[in-house]
mmCIF file of all heavy atoms in Angstrom:
data_model
loop_
_atom_site.group_PDB
_atom_site.id
_atom_site.type_symbol
_atom_site.label_atom_id
_atom_site.label_comp_id
_atom_site.label_asym_id
_atom_site.label_seq_id
_atom_site.Cartn_x
_atom_site.Cartn_y
_atom_site.Cartn_z
ATOM 1 N N ARG L 1 -74.540 -34.743 106.666
ATOM 2 C CA ARG L 1 -74.798 -35.867 107.200
ATOM 3 C C ARG L 1 -73.809 -37.050 106.609
ATOM 4 O O ARG L 1 -73.494 -36.841 105.407
ATOM 5 C CB ARG L 1 -76.309 -36.338 106.954
ATOM 6 C CG ARG L 1 -77.331 -35.386 107.474
ATOM 7 C CD ARG L 1 -78.685 -35.970 107.220
ATOM 8 N NE ARG L 1 -78.837 -36.584 105.854
ATOM 9 C CZ ARG L 1 -79.479 -37.647 105.610
ATOM 10 N NH1 ARG L 1 -80.087 -38.343 106.474
ATOM 11 N NH2 ARG L 1 -79.516 -38.028 104.291
ATOM 12 N N ILE L 2 -73.458 -38.033 107.372
ATOM 13 C CA ILE L 2 -72.540 -38.879 106.922
ATOM 14 C C ILE L 2 -73.183 -39.760 105.825
ATOM 15 O O ILE L 2 -72.617 -40.285 104.916
ATOM 16 C CB ILE L 2 -71.974 -39.934 107.912
ATOM 17 C CG1 ILE L 2 -73.093 -40.634 108.762
ATOM 18 C CG2 ILE L 2 -71.171 -39.171 108.821
ATOM 19 C CD1 ILE L 2 -72.599 -41.700 109.704
ATOM 20 N N ASN L 3 -74.472 -39.844 105.771
ATOM 21 C CA ASN L 3 -75.314 -40.512 104.768
ATOM 22 C C ASN L 3 -75.247 -39.833 103.397
ATOM 23 O O ASN L 3 -75.392 -40.464 102.382
ATOM 24 C CB ASN L 3 -76.860 -40.575 105.103
ATOM 25 C CG ASN L 3 -77.119 -41.400 106.329
ATOM 26 O OD1 ASN L 3 -76.694 -40.755 107.406
ATOM 27 N ND2 ASN L 3 -77.556 -42.461 106.457
ATOM 28 N N ASP L 4 -74.699 -38.563 103.388
ATOM 29 C CA ASP L 4 -74.610 -37.864 102.100
ATOM 30 C C ASP L 4 -73.111 -37.794 101.750
ATOM 31 O O ASP L 4 -72.885 -37.144 100.719
ATOM 32 C CB ASP L 4 -75.129 -36.340 102.356
ATOM 33 C CG ASP L 4 -76.598 -36.375 102.635
ATOM 34 O OD1 ASP L 4 -77.356 -37.231 102.167
ATOM 35 O OD2 ASP L 4 -76.994 -35.364 103.285
ATOM 36 N N PHE L 5 -72.387 -38.646 102.248
ATOM 37 C CA PHE L 5 -70.892 -38.509 102.165
ATOM 38 C C PHE L 5 -70.457 -40.018 101.852
ATOM 39 O O PHE L 5 -70.921 -40.986 102.537
ATOM 40 C CB PHE L 5 -70.404 -38.022 103.473
ATOM 41 C CG PHE L 5 -68.788 -37.926 103.700
ATOM 42 C CD1 PHE L 5 -68.025 -37.733 102.494
ATOM 43 C CD2 PHE L 5 -68.195 -37.755 104.844
ATOM 44 C CE1 PHE L 5 -66.586 -37.505 102.579
ATOM 45 C CE2 PHE L 5 -66.859 -37.717 105.046
ATOM 46 C CZ PHE L 5 -66.101 -37.540 103.874
ATOM 47 N N TYR L 6 -69.478 -40.236 100.983
ATOM 48 C CA TYR L 6 -69.106 -41.616 100.615
ATOM 49 C C TYR L 6 -68.597 -42.467 101.647
ATOM 50 O O TYR L 6 -68.699 -43.712 101.398
ATOM 51 C CB TYR L 6 -68.142 -41.520 99.356
ATOM 52 C CG TYR L 6 -66.742 -41.220 99.711
ATOM 53 C CD1 TYR L 6 -65.812 -41.906 100.331
ATOM 54 C CD2 TYR L 6 -66.357 -39.770 99.556
ATOM 55 C CE1 TYR L 6 -64.549 -41.601 100.738
ATOM 56 C CE2 TYR L 6 -64.968 -39.337 99.839
ATOM 57 C CZ TYR L 6 -64.060 -40.355 100.365
ATOM 58 O OH TYR L 6 -62.879 -39.959 100.759
ATOM 59 N N VAL L 7 -68.166 -41.947 102.733
ATOM 60 C CA VAL L 7 -67.671 -42.752 103.902
ATOM 61 C C VAL L 7 -68.643 -43.574 104.552
ATOM 62 O O VAL L 7 -68.427 -44.454 105.413
ATOM 63 C CB VAL L 7 -66.930 -41.945 104.800
ATOM 64 C CG1 VAL L 7 -65.621 -41.265 104.323
ATOM 65 C CG2 VAL L 7 -67.823 -40.860 105.484
ATOM 66 N N SER L 8 -70.005 -43.336 104.188
ATOM 67 C CA SER L 8 -71.129 -44.053 104.739
ATOM 68 C C SER L 8 -71.443 -45.338 104.017
ATOM 69 O O SER L 8 -72.253 -46.099 104.301
ATOM 70 C CB SER L 8 -72.328 -43.268 105.057
ATOM 71 O OG SER L 8 -72.877 -42.913 103.656
ATOM 72 N N LYS L 9 -70.831 -45.626 102.798
ATOM 73 C CA LYS L 9 -71.082 -46.647 101.948
ATOM 74 C C LYS L 9 -70.042 -47.816 102.255
ATOM 75 O O LYS L 9 -68.979 -47.545 102.611
ATOM 76 C CB LYS L 9 -70.873 -46.251 100.442
ATOM 77 C CG LYS L 9 -71.927 -45.249 99.983
ATOM 78 C CD LYS L 9 -71.553 -44.764 98.551
ATOM 79 C CE LYS L 9 -72.465 -43.603 97.990
ATOM 80 N NZ LYS L 9 -72.116 -43.209 96.657
ATOM 81 N N LYS L 10 -70.660 -49.036 102.141
ATOM 82 C CA LYS L 10 -69.833 -50.125 102.622
ATOM 83 C C LYS L 10 -68.453 -50.267 101.791
ATOM 84 O O LYS L 10 -67.379 -50.530 102.402
ATOM 85 C CB LYS L 10 -70.545 -51.537 102.429
ATOM 86 C CG LYS L 10 -69.879 -52.695 103.041
ATOM 87 C CD LYS L 10 -70.652 -53.760 103.196
ATOM 88 C CE LYS L 10 -69.971 -54.976 103.855
ATOM 89 N NZ LYS L 10 -69.600 -54.707 105.299
ATOM 90 N N GLU L 11 -68.575 -50.054 100.518
ATOM 91 C CA GLU L 11 -67.317 -50.079 99.586
ATOM 92 C C GLU L 11 -66.322 -49.024 99.886
ATOM 93 O O GLU L 11 -65.108 -49.187 99.716
ATOM 94 C CB GLU L 11 -67.801 -50.041 98.143
ATOM 95 C CG GLU L 11 -68.490 -51.245 97.800
ATOM 96 C CD GLU L 11 -70.030 -51.069 98.065
ATOM 97 O OE1 GLU L 11 -70.468 -49.932 98.608
ATOM 98 O OE2 GLU L 11 -70.824 -51.986 97.845
ATOM 99 N N THR L 12 -66.678 -47.883 100.364
ATOM 100 C CA THR L 12 -65.773 -46.740 100.526
ATOM 101 C C THR L 12 -66.011 -46.268 101.932
ATOM 102 O O THR L 12 -65.796 -44.955 102.139
ATOM 103 C CB THR L 12 -66.216 -45.604 99.554
ATOM 104 O OG1 THR L 12 -67.634 -45.210 99.574
ATOM 105 C CG2 THR L 12 -65.888 -46.062 98.167
ATOM 106 N N GLY L 13 -66.256 -47.126 102.918
ATOM 107 C CA GLY L 13 -66.472 -46.806 104.269
ATOM 108 C C GLY L 13 -65.191 -46.020 104.937
ATOM 109 O O GLY L 13 -64.044 -46.192 104.441
ATOM 110 N N GLY L 14 -65.471 -45.187 105.927
ATOM 111 C CA GLY L 14 -64.476 -44.408 106.452
ATOM 112 C C GLY L 14 -63.311 -45.212 107.096
ATOM 113 O O GLY L 14 -62.187 -45.002 106.865
ATOM 114 N N ALA L 15 -63.673 -46.301 107.936
ATOM 115 C CA ALA L 15 -62.464 -47.072 108.453
ATOM 116 C C ALA L 15 -61.884 -47.890 107.286
ATOM 117 O O ALA L 15 -60.564 -47.890 107.382
ATOM 118 C CB ALA L 15 -63.150 -48.103 109.439
ATOM 119 N N ARG L 16 -62.558 -48.396 106.366
ATOM 120 C CA ARG L 16 -62.025 -49.131 105.239
ATOM 121 C C ARG L 16 -60.982 -48.216 104.443
ATOM 122 O O ARG L 16 -59.982 -48.578 103.922
ATOM 123 C CB ARG L 16 -63.053 -49.552 104.240
ATOM 124 C CG ARG L 16 -62.616 -50.451 103.191
ATOM 125 C CD ARG L 16 -63.755 -51.172 102.507
ATOM 126 N NE ARG L 16 -63.193 -52.393 101.820
ATOM 127 C CZ ARG L 16 -63.146 -52.536 100.383
ATOM 128 N NH1 ARG L 16 -63.501 -51.403 99.755
ATOM 129 N NH2 ARG L 16 -62.766 -53.562 99.830
ATOM 130 N N GLU L 17 -61.260 -46.943 104.381
ATOM 131 C CA GLU L 17 -60.481 -45.925 103.669
ATOM 132 C C GLU L 17 -59.156 -45.557 104.415
ATOM 133 O O GLU L 17 -58.129 -45.628 103.824
ATOM 134 C CB GLU L 17 -61.295 -44.570 103.470
ATOM 135 C CG GLU L 17 -60.232 -43.617 102.744
ATOM 136 C CD GLU L 17 -61.149 -42.149 102.589
ATOM 137 O OE1 GLU L 17 -61.811 -41.875 103.470
ATOM 138 O OE2 GLU L 17 -60.931 -41.705 101.476
ATOM 139 N N ILE L 18 -59.208 -45.615 105.757
ATOM 140 C CA ILE L 18 -58.097 -45.254 106.495
ATOM 141 C C ILE L 18 -57.033 -46.429 106.637
ATOM 142 O O ILE L 18 -55.883 -46.210 106.752
ATOM 143 C CB ILE L 18 -58.507 -44.838 107.986
ATOM 144 C CG1 ILE L 18 -59.305 -43.501 107.798
ATOM 145 C CG2 ILE L 18 -57.169 -44.564 108.829
ATOM 146 C CD1 ILE L 18 -58.586 -42.330 107.318
ATOM 147 N N VAL L 19 -57.466 -47.698 106.564
ATOM 148 C CA VAL L 19 -56.618 -48.758 106.710
ATOM 149 C C VAL L 19 -55.426 -48.650 105.628
ATOM 150 O O VAL L 19 -54.288 -48.662 106.068
ATOM 151 C CB VAL L 19 -57.342 -50.110 106.414
ATOM 152 C CG1 VAL L 19 -56.323 -51.302 106.464
ATOM 153 C CG2 VAL L 19 -58.307 -50.362 107.573
ATOM 154 N N PRO L 20 -55.661 -48.531 104.319
ATOM 155 C CA PRO L 20 -54.544 -48.410 103.338
ATOM 156 C C PRO L 20 -53.957 -46.952 103.587
ATOM 157 O O PRO L 20 -52.814 -46.953 103.352
ATOM 158 C CB PRO L 20 -55.281 -48.517 102.085
ATOM 159 C CG PRO L 20 -56.693 -48.341 102.157
ATOM 160 C CD PRO L 20 -57.018 -48.687 103.597
ATOM 161 N N PHE L 21 -54.694 -45.942 103.901
ATOM 162 C CA PHE L 21 -54.061 -44.606 104.047
ATOM 163 C C PHE L 21 -52.977 -44.633 105.139
ATOM 164 O O PHE L 21 -51.906 -44.143 104.856
ATOM 165 C CB PHE L 21 -55.195 -43.725 104.535
ATOM 166 C CG PHE L 21 -54.679 -42.199 104.519
ATOM 167 C CD1 PHE L 21 -54.750 -41.430 103.427
ATOM 168 C CD2 PHE L 21 -54.198 -41.612 105.680
ATOM 169 C CE1 PHE L 21 -54.378 -40.083 103.461
ATOM 170 C CE2 PHE L 21 -53.762 -40.309 105.781
ATOM 171 C CZ PHE L 21 -53.854 -39.628 104.728
ATOM 172 N N ASP L 22 -53.262 -45.322 106.163
ATOM 173 C CA ASP L 22 -52.154 -45.447 107.215
ATOM 174 C C ASP L 22 -51.136 -46.582 106.882
ATOM 175 O O ASP L 22 -49.922 -46.331 107.308
ATOM 176 C CB ASP L 22 -52.654 -45.560 108.574
ATOM 177 C CG ASP L 22 -53.367 -44.412 109.140
ATOM 178 O OD1 ASP L 22 -53.377 -43.312 108.544
ATOM 179 O OD2 ASP L 22 -53.666 -44.350 110.448
ATOM 180 N N LEU L 23 -51.569 -47.554 106.281
ATOM 181 C CA LEU L 23 -50.521 -48.623 105.800
ATOM 182 C C LEU L 23 -49.461 -48.155 104.885
ATOM 183 O O LEU L 23 -48.429 -48.584 104.803
ATOM 184 C CB LEU L 23 -51.194 -49.939 105.343
ATOM 185 C CG LEU L 23 -51.925 -50.709 106.298
ATOM 186 C CD1 LEU L 23 -52.778 -51.815 105.722
ATOM 187 C CD2 LEU L 23 -50.879 -51.511 107.245
ATOM 188 N N VAL L 24 -49.847 -47.216 104.166
ATOM 189 C CA VAL L 24 -48.835 -46.566 103.136
ATOM 190 C C VAL L 24 -47.675 -46.168 103.931
ATOM 191 O O VAL L 24 -46.574 -46.381 103.282
ATOM 192 C CB VAL L 24 -49.535 -45.503 102.434
ATOM 193 C CG1 VAL L 24 -48.349 -44.662 101.619
ATOM 194 C CG2 VAL L 24 -50.609 -45.779 101.375
ATOM 195 N N TYR L 25 -47.829 -45.437 105.099
ATOM 196 C CA TYR L 25 -46.467 -45.157 105.714
ATOM 197 C C TYR L 25 -46.130 -46.201 106.805
ATOM 198 O O TYR L 25 -44.807 -46.254 107.146
ATOM 199 C CB TYR L 25 -46.760 -43.715 106.440
ATOM 200 C CG TYR L 25 -47.642 -43.605 107.556
ATOM 201 C CD1 TYR L 25 -47.035 -43.738 108.820
ATOM 202 C CD2 TYR L 25 -48.906 -43.264 107.471
ATOM 203 C CE1 TYR L 25 -47.835 -43.518 109.924
ATOM 204 C CE2 TYR L 25 -49.767 -43.186 108.482
ATOM 205 C CZ TYR L 25 -49.307 -43.404 109.766
ATOM 206 O OH TYR L 25 -50.025 -43.112 110.827
ATOM 207 N N LEU L 26 -46.973 -46.750 107.198
ATOM 208 C CA LEU L 26 -46.512 -47.952 108.305
ATOM 209 C C LEU L 26 -45.750 -49.040 107.589
ATOM 210 O O LEU L 26 -44.751 -49.385 108.337
ATOM 211 C CB LEU L 26 -47.820 -48.527 108.920
ATOM 212 C CG LEU L 26 -48.581 -47.616 109.881
ATOM 213 C CD1 LEU L 26 -49.891 -48.335 110.290
ATOM 214 C CD2 LEU L 26 -47.727 -47.150 111.112
ATOM 215 N N THR L 27 -46.077 -49.523 106.452
ATOM 216 C CA THR L 27 -45.300 -50.397 105.729
ATOM 217 C C THR L 27 -43.959 -49.794 105.217
ATOM 218 O O THR L 27 -42.959 -50.531 105.184
ATOM 219 C CB THR L 27 -46.078 -50.930 104.520
ATOM 220 O OG1 THR L 27 -46.395 -49.909 103.666
ATOM 221 C CG2 THR L 27 -47.153 -51.824 104.884
ATOM 222 N N TRP L 28 -43.835 -48.487 104.958
ATOM 223 C CA TRP L 28 -42.712 -47.783 104.766
ATOM 224 C C TRP L 28 -41.741 -47.799 105.857
ATOM 225 O O TRP L 28 -40.529 -47.918 105.690
ATOM 226 C CB TRP L 28 -43.007 -46.268 104.331
ATOM 227 C CG TRP L 28 -41.923 -45.463 103.668
ATOM 228 C CD1 TRP L 28 -41.104 -45.803 102.738
ATOM 229 C CD2 TRP L 28 -41.552 -44.238 104.195
ATOM 230 N NE1 TRP L 28 -40.275 -44.576 102.477
ATOM 231 C CE2 TRP L 28 -40.643 -43.709 103.372
ATOM 232 C CE3 TRP L 28 -42.168 -43.265 105.140
ATOM 233 C CZ2 TRP L 28 -40.053 -42.423 103.489
ATOM 234 C CZ3 TRP L 28 -41.653 -42.057 105.252
ATOM 235 C CH2 TRP L 28 -40.548 -41.637 104.370
ATOM 236 N N MET L 29 -42.374 -47.613 107.074
ATOM 237 C CA MET L 29 -41.549 -47.641 108.183
ATOM 238 C C MET L 29 -41.112 -48.938 108.836
ATOM 239 O O MET L 29 -39.915 -49.197 109.159
ATOM 240 C CB MET L 29 -42.127 -46.824 109.354
ATOM 241 C CG MET L 29 -42.512 -45.418 109.173
ATOM 242 S SD MET L 29 -43.643 -44.712 110.304
ATOM 243 C CE MET L 29 -42.650 -44.593 111.773
ATOM 244 N N PHE L 30 -42.052 -49.966 108.753
ATOM 245 C CA PHE L 30 -41.809 -51.228 109.285
ATOM 246 C C PHE L 30 -41.617 -52.466 108.509
ATOM 247 O O PHE L 30 -41.365 -53.435 108.983
ATOM 248 C CB PHE L 30 -42.929 -51.411 110.411
ATOM 249 C CG PHE L 30 -42.991 -50.337 111.459
ATOM 250 C CD1 PHE L 30 -44.275 -49.556 111.397
ATOM 251 C CD2 PHE L 30 -42.044 -50.019 112.190
ATOM 252 C CE1 PHE L 30 -44.348 -48.638 112.291
ATOM 253 C CE2 PHE L 30 -42.198 -48.962 113.105
ATOM 254 C CZ PHE L 30 -43.378 -48.283 113.213
ATOM 255 N N GLY L 31 -41.758 -52.220 107.192
ATOM 256 C CA GLY L 31 -41.547 -53.347 106.225
ATOM 257 C C GLY L 31 -42.876 -53.783 105.563
ATOM 258 O O GLY L 31 -43.925 -53.444 106.014
ATOM 259 N N LYS L 32 -42.675 -54.623 104.494
ATOM 260 C CA LYS L 32 -43.846 -55.055 103.830
ATOM 261 C C LYS L 32 -44.544 -56.126 104.726
ATOM 262 O O LYS L 32 -43.935 -56.916 105.241
ATOM 263 C CB LYS L 32 -43.414 -55.633 102.530
ATOM 264 C CG LYS L 32 -42.913 -54.650 101.497
ATOM 265 C CD LYS L 32 -42.641 -55.366 100.110
ATOM 266 C CE LYS L 32 -42.081 -54.331 99.117
ATOM 267 N NZ LYS L 32 -41.903 -54.901 97.877
ATOM 268 N N VAL L 33 -45.779 -56.211 104.453
ATOM 269 C CA VAL L 33 -46.668 -57.158 105.310
ATOM 270 C C VAL L 33 -46.533 -58.563 104.669
ATOM 271 O O VAL L 33 -46.871 -58.661 103.399
ATOM 272 C CB VAL L 33 -48.092 -56.687 105.396
ATOM 273 C CG1 VAL L 33 -48.958 -57.756 106.021
ATOM 274 C CG2 VAL L 33 -48.236 -55.493 106.346
ATOM 275 N N LYS L 34 -46.171 -59.560 105.443
ATOM 276 C CA LYS L 34 -46.139 -60.933 104.815
ATOM 277 C C LYS L 34 -47.348 -61.679 105.170
ATOM 278 O O LYS L 34 -47.924 -62.549 104.269
ATOM 279 C CB LYS L 34 -44.965 -61.637 105.639
ATOM 280 C CG LYS L 34 -43.561 -61.139 105.232
ATOM 281 C CD LYS L 34 -42.424 -61.771 106.061
ATOM 282 C CE LYS L 34 -42.591 -63.247 106.238
ATOM 283 N NZ LYS L 34 -41.504 -63.883 107.146
ATOM 284 N N ASN L 35 -47.900 -61.505 106.214
ATOM 285 C CA ASN L 35 -49.294 -62.146 106.519
ATOM 286 C C ASN L 35 -50.134 -61.290 107.534
ATOM 287 O O ASN L 35 -49.570 -60.440 108.193
ATOM 288 C CB ASN L 35 -49.004 -63.632 107.095
ATOM 289 C CG ASN L 35 -48.009 -63.548 108.247
ATOM 290 O OD1 ASN L 35 -48.370 -62.982 109.280
ATOM 291 N ND2 ASN L 35 -46.805 -64.083 108.220
ATOM 292 N N VAL L 36 -51.456 -61.483 107.456
ATOM 293 C CA VAL L 36 -52.370 -60.738 108.297
ATOM 294 C C VAL L 36 -53.489 -61.488 108.783
ATOM 295 O O VAL L 36 -53.889 -62.446 108.190
ATOM 296 C CB VAL L 36 -52.810 -59.548 107.400
ATOM 297 C CG1 VAL L 36 -53.543 -60.020 106.252
ATOM 298 C CG2 VAL L 36 -53.759 -58.636 108.244
ATOM 299 N N LYS L 37 -53.940 -61.204 109.938
ATOM 300 C CA LYS L 37 -55.143 -61.801 110.549
ATOM 301 C C LYS L 37 -55.894 -60.596 111.066
ATOM 302 O O LYS L 37 -55.432 -59.784 111.745
ATOM 303 C CB LYS L 37 -54.797 -62.796 111.674
ATOM 304 C CG LYS L 37 -55.984 -63.624 112.169
ATOM 305 C CD LYS L 37 -55.537 -64.780 113.030
ATOM 306 C CE LYS L 37 -56.847 -65.668 113.268
ATOM 307 N NZ LYS L 37 -56.514 -66.773 114.239
ATOM 308 N N ALA L 38 -57.244 -60.576 110.848
ATOM 309 C CA ALA L 38 -57.979 -59.455 111.045
ATOM 310 C C ALA L 38 -59.346 -59.724 111.703
ATOM 311 O O ALA L 38 -59.890 -60.685 111.567
ATOM 312 C CB ALA L 38 -58.220 -58.711 109.727
ATOM 313 N N PHE L 39 -59.874 -58.697 112.302
ATOM 314 C CA PHE L 39 -61.156 -58.765 113.048
ATOM 315 C C PHE L 39 -61.844 -57.369 112.549
ATOM 316 O O PHE L 39 -61.361 -56.364 112.623
ATOM 317 C CB PHE L 39 -61.130 -58.825 114.483
ATOM 318 C CG PHE L 39 -62.486 -58.589 115.129
ATOM 319 C CD1 PHE L 39 -63.403 -59.697 115.139
ATOM 320 C CD2 PHE L 39 -62.864 -57.428 115.729
ATOM 321 C CE1 PHE L 39 -64.513 -59.552 115.834
ATOM 322 C CE2 PHE L 39 -64.124 -57.250 116.238
ATOM 323 C CZ PHE L 39 -65.000 -58.438 116.331
ATOM 324 N N LEU L 40 -63.123 -57.535 112.060
ATOM 325 C CA LEU L 40 -63.899 -56.299 111.547
ATOM 326 C C LEU L 40 -65.275 -56.334 112.298
ATOM 327 O O LEU L 40 -65.723 -57.356 112.657
ATOM 328 C CB LEU L 40 -64.124 -56.373 110.001
ATOM 329 C CG LEU L 40 -63.053 -56.097 108.944
ATOM 330 C CD1 LEU L 40 -61.793 -56.873 109.206
ATOM 331 C CD2 LEU L 40 -63.667 -56.236 107.608
ATOM 332 N N LYS L 41 -65.693 -55.105 112.518
ATOM 333 C CA LYS L 41 -67.024 -55.051 113.285
ATOM 334 C C LYS L 41 -67.716 -53.754 112.925
ATOM 335 O O LYS L 41 -67.201 -52.684 112.728
ATOM 336 C CB LYS L 41 -66.686 -55.046 114.771
ATOM 337 C CG LYS L 41 -68.002 -55.048 115.684
ATOM 338 C CD LYS L 41 -67.612 -55.102 117.118
ATOM 339 C CE LYS L 41 -68.948 -55.248 117.844
ATOM 340 N NZ LYS L 41 -69.817 -56.466 117.569
ATOM 341 N N ASN L 42 -69.055 -54.070 112.720
ATOM 342 C CA ASN L 42 -69.973 -52.890 112.737
ATOM 343 C C ASN L 42 -70.677 -52.687 114.166
ATOM 344 O O ASN L 42 -71.330 -53.536 114.479
ATOM 345 C CB ASN L 42 -71.070 -53.099 111.518
ATOM 346 C CG ASN L 42 -72.130 -52.005 111.524
ATOM 347 O OD1 ASN L 42 -72.062 -51.018 112.340
ATOM 348 N ND2 ASN L 42 -72.813 -51.995 110.488
ATOM 349 N N THR L 43 -70.277 -51.715 114.674
ATOM 350 C CA THR L 43 -70.747 -51.539 116.116
ATOM 351 C C THR L 43 -72.248 -51.139 116.134
ATOM 352 O O THR L 43 -72.941 -51.004 117.205
ATOM 353 C CB THR L 43 -70.051 -50.480 116.932
ATOM 354 O OG1 THR L 43 -70.167 -49.187 116.283
ATOM 355 C CG2 THR L 43 -68.530 -50.788 116.901
ATOM 356 N N GLN L 44 -72.881 -50.805 114.994
ATOM 357 C CA GLN L 44 -74.343 -50.385 114.933
ATOM 358 C C GLN L 44 -74.625 -49.062 115.696
ATOM 359 O O GLN L 44 -75.623 -48.905 116.206
ATOM 360 C CB GLN L 44 -75.226 -51.558 115.463
ATOM 361 C CG GLN L 44 -75.020 -52.831 114.774
ATOM 362 C CD GLN L 44 -75.551 -52.820 113.346
ATOM 363 O OE1 GLN L 44 -76.461 -52.075 113.007
ATOM 364 N NE2 GLN L 44 -74.946 -53.560 112.431
ATOM 365 N N THR L 45 -73.547 -48.224 115.787
ATOM 366 C CA THR L 45 -73.722 -46.963 116.600
ATOM 367 C C THR L 45 -73.747 -45.761 115.627
ATOM 368 O O THR L 45 -74.158 -44.661 116.072
ATOM 369 C CB THR L 45 -72.529 -46.765 117.574
ATOM 370 O OG1 THR L 45 -71.358 -46.675 116.809
ATOM 371 C CG2 THR L 45 -72.483 -47.860 118.596
#
């Protein structure tokens, strides 16, 4: 169950984990991020 897995905790949530995981190579390919604007959502699903 996801409740028994760290990706269900807010601090270590699944989506939160993947953001830097993918940015590690996206910034390598496209350059360092200078500024960011973001939208976050819990869909309650």
Side-chain angles (χ1 to χ4, degrees):
R1 300 185 316 142
I2 59 174
N3 304 71
D4 299 329
F5 182 23
Y6 71 81
V7 293
S8 65
K9 299 177 184 176
K10 189 167 181 63
E11 296 80 5
T12 54
R16 190 172 197 248
E17 180 182 40
I18 296 296
V19 173
F21 186 87
D22 280 13
L23 282 172
V24 165
Y25 73 92
L26 293 171
T27 55
W28 187 52
M29 294 169 72
F30 304 117
K32 292 185 177 183
V33 170
K34 289 170 49 181
N35 50 65
V36 59
K37 192 167 185 181
F39 174 79
L40 281 59
K41 185 173 180 63
N42 180 350
T43 63
Q44 303 291 326
T45 59

